[in-house]
Amino acid sequence: MSAWMIDAVVQIFGRSDWLIFGAAEVCTILAILPVVLIVRERFGAKVGGYTALAAFLSHFTTLSAVEYNVNMGFLPFWGWMIYTFLKAEEKDTLLWWTLFGLISAGGMLGKYTAAIFLMSATLWVLLKRRDLLVRPGPYIAAFVFLIALSPHLVWLVKSDFVLIEYALNRTGSGDVAWYQHITMPLRYVGEFIYSVAPMLVALAIAAGWSRIKSLGSEDAIAAARLVWSDPFLFAAVGPVLVISALSLGLGANIKTVWSMPLGVVFAGCIGVAAAHLEASKSTVKQRFLISWGVIYGTLLIVFVAIMVIAPFVKKYPKRMLHDGPALARIVEDLWAKHETKPFEYLVGDHWPGGSVAWYTPSRPSFFERANLSYSPWIDVEDMQSKGAVYVDYKNPTDAISGMCVVDAQKILWPAPGGRIYKKHPEVWIAVLKPSVGPNAVECAGIKK
């Protein structure tokens, strides 16, 4: 879904790195918008204003989010899933349940993390809104969700659930020690708190030390009761509890970035708390605005400093300092030595290969890892008749996808300014000759 979204943008507006940066920021705004809308409806405009500001104090939603990726593309779906669910839960109409099912399917196509909110929403219905279980709405949403997702489910079964296997492998939950069932959820909660720490600091400064010192168990109980009684606040906190419970049961190392959208919704909790504080202390608004400006400005300065200073102190370049266009030109020049027409296929690793596929004007089809499970859209027979280029971190074998490897060479991935790092990324590139048709080339390693 994220790839389709950015490709649609490029097809309409053209290709530009600034466009990609803008797409990431648009995704951030589209993720925050439904949260602010629902907060304004439920708690008032003042809470909506605090929420909007707080949402931009997550580590993932500042202007440092220049890298459009699967997480940024998925971000809006989470906010709109919550918005449509709360509307469906409140209005209980066919329209809202249908929208919830459709947007949830889009969210799942964007990232399986969407299932976390679906679990949380199910818990809310089972614990607080069991009356909905005798209404058609939830079942309509489930039906629409499954229909919209059915092509993906068919592909998932045919590919032996490769994406689920990939996700589980990343968690490291296959073989865990007993203590990891305790340490991993604690680690996740700690990292989540860190991800929303800027907004917590802004709230703390607005509250003042005297108010913080006065907090006690009664305040914690009151906050818990508020979360338990309000579906939005439960939607903000519930997914954190669900992920923690999964980590507890599996002993899994949950990646912090997987809970990236949770911070946007958690900003609603900050908004509610700030507005409550302002009702009893008139200086809260001014202190919050000042602290917000200082913290946001600091985050921006730190990011710019890292990008400017990093090339002079790092042994390995940051991903955003890899020169994709330069690598694409090198690969194009290599292909031009052997063929006259632009290459239509590219085989290799998703990072260097994907970069070349993106920046090459001919927009070749990318065959990731030469595996149809990762790239089921590839017409292998057509590719074998036209040849391809190889771009990967690994030294190619004699034959890739039945095509002879020619002129394989290891190069340094160019960096801006021609800088060479101590641990500079190395990439293998090669030409893969056609193995069928009038221009077929036979060589060692080809299996007939």
Side-chain angles (χ1 to χ4, degrees):
M1 179 63 75
S2 298
W4 295 341
M5 288 164 57
I6 196 62
D7 194 61
V9 170
V10 170
Q11 293 297 328
I12 296 172
F13 299 104
R15 188 182 321 220
S16 167
D17 287 344
W18 282 105
L19 181 68
I20 307 307
F21 167 76
E25 297 309 316
V26 168
C27 284
T28 301
I29 294 170
L30 289 177
I32 295 173
L33 178 60
V35 177
V36 174
L37 289 176
I38 201 70
V39 164
R40 281 175 59 91
E41 290 181 16
R42 304 185 73 87
F43 304 105
K46 185 178 294 185
V47 177
Y50 281 121
T51 298
L53 290 173
F56 281 101
L57 287 185
S58 161
H59 286 299
F60 302 116
T61 53
T62 63
L63 284 174
S64 62
V66 298
E67 180 185 328
Y68 180 91
N69 53 34
V70 65
N71 299 300
M72 293 305 298
F74 167 68
L75 197 57
F77 287 97
W78 187 274
W80 288 105
M81 283 170 63
I82 290 177
Y83 184 86
T84 52
F85 171 72
L86 294 181
K87 282 292 188 179
E89 186 251 11
E90 176 188 0
K91 305 291 186 181
D92 193 23
T93 61
L94 174 64
L95 172 64
W96 286 113
W97 283 116
T98 301
L99 287 174
F100 175 57
L102 283 173
I103 293 174
S104 296
M108 285 293 289
L109 289 173
K111 202 163 188 183
Y112 288 170
T113 307
I116 298 297
F117 175 69
L118 297 180
M119 294 179 193
S120 179
T122 302
L123 279 176
W124 175 259
V125 171
L126 293 175
L127 296 174
K128 302 290 289 185
R129 290 299 310 272
R130 283 193 293 273
D131 59 296
L132 291 174
L133 296 176
V134 297
R135 300 284 297 161
Y139 305 102
I140 291 172
F143 177 75
V144 171
F145 173 81
L146 291 174
I147 291 298
L149 207 61
S150 57
H152 178 73
L153 294 176
V154 170
W155 171 82
L156 195 62
V157 172
K158 288 184 177 180
S159 61
D160 296 325
F161 302 95
V162 63
L163 292 182
I164 294 177
E165 181 183 358
Y166 167 78
L168 291 174
N169 288 339
R170 289 202 68 189
T171 65
S173 58
D175 184 21
V176 298
W178 65 268
Y179 60 84
Q180 289 180 288
H181 292 275
I182 301 173
T183 58
M184 288 305 174
L186 290 176
R187 177 180 176 180
Y188 165 73
V189 172
E191 290 181 345
F192 174 76
I193 293 174
Y194 169 76
S195 71
V196 297
M199 63 179 78
L200 291 174
V201 171
L203 179 64
I205 293 173
W209 179 242
S210 60
R211 182 69 181 91
I212 294 174
K213 286 194 301 181
S214 67
L215 293 175
S217 58
E218 293 182 358
D219 296 287
I221 294 172
R225 286 176 177 170
L226 187 60
V227 170
W228 180 248
S229 64
D230 187 88
F232 169 78
L233 296 178
F234 189 86
V237 177
V240 179
L241 300 178
V242 169
I243 294 176
S244 299
L246 290 174
S247 184
L248 178 67
L250 299 174
N253 178 21
I254 305 298
K255 306 298 181 183
T256 309
V257 74
W258 292 356
S259 62
M260 176 173 154
L262 277 63
V264 174
V265 185
F266 186 78
C269 299
I270 300 295
V272 171
H276 175 73
L277 289 170
E278 185 184 344
S280 58
K281 193 173 183 180
S282 60
T283 59
V284 166
K285 179 179 179 180
Q286 182 181 7
R287 291 163 67 95
F288 187 91
L289 291 175
I290 293 173
S291 62
W292 183 90
V294 171
I295 293 171
Y296 188 85
T298 301
L299 289 172
L300 187 57
I301 291 171
V302 168
F303 169 73
V304 173
I306 289 175
M307 295 302 294
V308 172
I309 298 173
F312 300 99
V313 297
K314 298 279 285 187
K315 295 181 180 179
Y316 189 89
K318 296 180 71 67
R319 289 192 301 181
M320 286 177 286
L321 294 177
H322 289 58
D323 195 333
L327 180 61
R329 287 192 294 270
I330 293 173
V331 174
E332 287 182 281
D333 290 342
L334 177 66
W335 175 263
K337 293 179 181 178
H338 300 268
E339 305 288 343
T340 55
K341 296 181 179 180
F343 56 89
E344 297 183 27
Y345 292 94
L346 188 151
V347 181
D349 180 83
H350 69 276
W351 184 241
S355 295
V356 172
W358 174 260
Y359 285 108
T360 302
S362 61
R363 292 301 302 275
S365 294
F366 180 42
F367 193 18
E368 184 174 357
R369 303 186 189 182
N371 190 326
L372 287 172
S373 295
Y374 294 101
S375 307
W377 54 82
I378 294 296
D379 184 338
V380 175
E381 187 173 329
D382 185 62
M383 178 183 66
Q384 290 177 338
S385 69
K386 296 176 179 178
V389 294
Y390 176 86
V391 185
D392 204 303
Y393 291 120
K394 298 179 181 178
N395 186 353
T397 56
D398 291 335
I400 302 291
S401 295
M403 295 176 289
C404 179
V405 175
V406 174
D407 204 3
Q409 49 189 275
K410 182 168 65 174
I411 64 170
L412 297 179
W413 189 330
R419 181 174 175 81
I420 304 297
Y421 292 81
K422 186 174 182 179
K423 296 181 179 179
H424 204 96
E426 298 176 331
V427 179
W428 281 91
I429 62 175
V431 171
L432 306 180
K433 285 290 188 177
S435 59
V436 298
N439 298 318
V441 174
E442 293 187 17
C443 59
I446 297 292
K447 295 182 178 180
K448 296 293 186 182

